[in-house]
Structure formats: C-alpha cells, structure tokens
Amino acid sequence: MPEASKSDFSRSLAKLMSRAPLSDAAQKAFLGLKANRVSFAIYRDIVREGEPTSRCCFVEKGLVSRYKTLRNGGRQIVSFHLDGDLIDLQSSLLKVADHGIRTHTPSVVLTVSCNDVLQLAADFPELALAFWFETLVDGAIFREWTLNVGRRSARERTSHLLLEFAYRLKAIGLSDGREFVLPVTLADFADAVGLSTVHVNRSFQALRADALIRTFNKTIVIEDPDRLIREADFRADYLHPEGPRSPTSGFY
Amino acid sequence: MPRYFFDLCNGNGWMTDEEGALYADPKAMEGEALISARSIIAGDILEGASINLGHFLAVRDDTGEEIYRLHFRDAVTVQDFPPAF
C-alpha cells in the first residue's frame, strides 16, 4: 500500500554517482522524481512477468530478484539486487515485462511513471547515460549467470554466487568481503544456480568439508578466498567496477 | 501446507536440511526428493565421480520424524546389455 512518507532516492543516486559524477541540476532532478512509496512483505511480486508495464520501480530498501517461471511453476532467478539498485529502468522502454521482480526481504519500493523517467533522461543526457550504464551492467550479470548455469559444475556455481554476494555486499558496506549474512534462503539460492535445494545444500557441505567456507546459521565466512576464487573462476570484471567511459567533451 | 526437511546421507556424511520447504502433499514431496536425487547423481556423473546407489535422501516432517527415504538406486534405472537392433 502507498505510504505518505517522503520518497528517498538517495541510495539510488549514491549508486549512480559511485559510477560517474552528476551535475547538481541532474542530482536535484533525480531526487525530485514524483514517486509512490510502496511497502512489500517478503516474497511478493513487485513486477509480474508478462504484464504490461506502467511504472519503473527503484528499490529504496530490500533484496529482490529477477526471475522467470516455467510452465510447471518452477523458477529460475536471473539476478539478485540490493538496496539502491535501479532494478527496473527497463520498464521505461519495454512495454511488457519479460520477467518478474520479487522481494526476498520486507522491502520499500519507489515507483515512478515511465514517462517521467524518459523525460528525465531526455532533459539530462548525463542521466540517460547513467541509466544506460546500469542496464548494461545488468546485461553483463545475466551473461555471467548464463555461463554459470550453463557450464559450471554444481560446486563451481555455488562458489561463484557466494563470491558475487560477498563482492556486492562489500560494495554497499554490508560485508568486509569475506564474511556476510546470506540474504536469501538455500531454496532461493538453488533457483538462482539452477539446481535442487538439496544439491545446493550438499555443495555447501562439500565446500565446508574442504575448508573453503565456514557457516553458522546464515553467516558465511570465506576461509580461503584465493582458492574459492580459483575454483569458481570468479573475476569481478563482469560487475564493471571501473565504471563507464565518459564522453571526452563532458556534459557541463 | 506442511514443511518437509530433506537430509542427505552421502560420501561427505550426513547433511541436514536446516530450512525445509513447503509442499502441498506427500506426493509433491516425493516428486521433489526424486528430482533432487537425480540432480545430484547427474552432477556427480558429469564431474566423473563415482555414484553410490546406497546413498539416500531422508525426508523429515516438522516433528522431526523421518517419513520417507529415497535411495539413489531407486532414483535411476541403469541398464547394461547391448542394444537390440
């Protein structure tokens, strides 16, 4: 249900500005977007696969996933997204949702009309490029996940996703890169790596047995990062930490 | 919907399911057990590991009672004779 309190785009803005500078005018315009602030309980759909789009959503707070469903009801998660991620820029241009977006924690989502997002991009080319870069990185994540689910062994897939969580949680200050609380259930993790939950659980067991990780409750400690990285063939390049190329003439 | 816990007895010892999952009925639970066993067997075959048909999945209900057991030998059908053509 919509809430009366003020929409807070600061996390999303911080994410954009961690990649490239934005002029004061662009920042002000972004922060000033008219939004509905909506709370979702855990495991609720924010966007439904197959439905026409009308608004873009930004995650103010929460962990969500993008997913597609099989005819038999099975689910393949295609990516996870954390606080501040601009998860739904595509709805501004794509008229039909080709995948669902769903919460894995109680979440607060800001929805903006597609037209306002498009207008903002038209008024501020630097924001258009920033949005474009975000969607390109999403594409890079999907490509890495294609490799992960298509070719890697169960153990490698599990290791890779654990390392991705460690890396991305560190980037938003929720981990030191070695220890983190796994923010999803093993069943969700399994949907993300295309395996049964038992198989994922067993992969965790094998990683523990080889002293690569330690776990207690939902906390994961990467005991041997170098070996885990080598096993998973994890290279953070696909997350594009280097940021976008800036136009040589600049914007302002 | 009842919650079921899928433990595994395999080469690494006993693996406990701490989370469990909800299934509509025992039939759905058995279906998941079968898929899970096959997923593990298939993964192990691809990695070149040997398969022990004596390994098994043990399913508990939320009272902790084991209510179902699926041995790997019952999850696969292996034939071993020359093709008849």
Side-chain angles (χ1 to χ4, degrees):
Chain A
M1 77 236 68
E3 292 186 9
S5 45
K6 199 166 174 299
S7 301
D8 185 7
F9 283 97
S10 57
R11 268 197 155 119
S12 292
L13 181 64
K15 176 123 209 274
L16 290 174
M17 293 195 65
S18 72
R19 306 302 220 155
L22 290 171
S23 67
D24 289 345
Q27 290 180 46
K28 190 153 178 274
F30 183 75
L31 288 172
L33 279 169
K34 269 198 317 288
N36 291 340
R37 192 163 180 271
V38 188
S39 289
F40 287 87
I42 189 174
Y43 294 140
R44 294 284 190 269
D45 280 326
I46 298 171
V47 174
R48 285 209 171 83
E49 185 177 348
E51 287 192 355
T53 59
S54 59
R55 297 180 75 77
C56 293
C57 23
F58 299 80
V59 177
E60 186 188 285
K61 184 158 181 55
L63 187 130
V64 305
S65 68
R66 290 196 162 114
Y67 73 101
K68 291 180 77 81
T69 45
L70 290 166
R71 226 173 19 228
N72 69 8
R75 200 179 287 129
Q76 174 69 48
I77 289 176
V78 297
S79 60
F80 287 112
H81 294 278
L82 311 169
D83 304 16
D85 281 2
L86 292 87
I87 48 156
D88 192 30
L89 289 170
Q90 75 265 346
S91 287
S92 60
L93 282 172
L94 299 176
K95 296 180 186 174
V96 180
D98 55 66
H99 59 272
I101 302 179
R102 170 174 194 260
T103 62
H104 291 264
T105 63
S107 303
V108 177
V109 168
L110 306 172
T111 74
V112 180
S113 86
C114 297
N115 200 64
D116 284 354
V117 173
L118 291 176
Q119 191 61 55
L120 190 67
D123 293 341
F124 294 93
E126 58 191 301
L127 279 175
L129 283 192
F131 293 166
W132 187 10
F133 179 77
E134 291 299 315
T135 57
L136 287 174
V137 174
D138 283 346
I141 293 174
F142 300 145
R143 287 191 286 277
E144 184 67 30
W145 280 44
T146 301
L147 180 61
N148 210 36
V149 172
R151 294 289 165 172
R152 292 192 174 118
S153 70
R155 191 178 152 119
E156 289 164 349
R157 292 182 206 184
T158 303
S159 305
H160 198 278
L161 184 55
L162 283 175
L163 287 164
E164 181 178 305
F165 269 123
Y167 188 95
R168 291 175 71 188
L169 288 167
K170 182 177 177 195
I172 60 170
L174 289 177
S175 165
D176 61 359
R178 281 184 70 152
E179 183 171 329
F180 60 96
V181 176
L182 189 66
V184 296
T185 62
L186 284 188
D188 296 330
F189 196 104
D191 284 343
V193 295
L195 297 167
S196 70
T197 310
V198 178
H199 204 165
V200 167
N201 201 357
R202 200 194 61 158
S203 302
F204 273 71
Q205 188 199 38
L207 292 175
R208 278 194 296 265
D210 288 348
L212 287 165
I213 64 171
R214 244 188 323 126
T215 63
F216 36 97
N217 295 327
K218 305 281 298 197
T219 299
I220 315 280
V221 179
I222 300 174
E223 294 275 32
D224 194 341
D226 290 338
R227 242 179 82 212
L228 195 67
I229 286 169
R230 242 191 342 265
E231 268 216 20
D233 195 22
F234 181 86
R235 273 159 287 138
D237 300 2
Y238 72 99
L239 297 166
H240 291 282
E242 79 281 5
R245 173 176 284 119
S246 324
T248 49
S249 57
F251 287 111
Y252 46 90
Chain B
M1 277 208 284
R3 184 170 289 271
Y4 298 98
F5 297 83
F6 293 73
D7 303 331
L8 177 69
C9 181
N10 74 150
N12 286 327
W14 193 262
M15 180 208 84
T16 314
D17 179 0
E18 308 282 348
E19 258 173 33
L22 303 172
Y23 292 94
D25 51 40
K27 191 152 173 279
M29 172 273 288
E30 288 175 23
E32 176 67 20
L34 188 59
I35 290 170
S36 298
R38 288 174 173 171
S39 165
I40 289 169
I41 292 165
D44 284 355
I45 290 174
L46 282 171
E47 291 179 40
S50 77
I51 308 304
N52 186 333
L53 297 174
H55 288 167
F56 59 88
L57 268 163
V59 186
R60 281 176 285 133
D61 63 16
D62 54 20
T63 71
E65 212 48 54
E66 182 184 305
I67 52 159
Y68 184 69
R69 191 172 271 212
L70 177 66
H71 286 87
F72 282 7
R73 74 174 70 86
D74 298 320
V76 294
T77 309
V78 183
Q79 296 181 329
D80 189 9
F81 48 80
F85 56 75

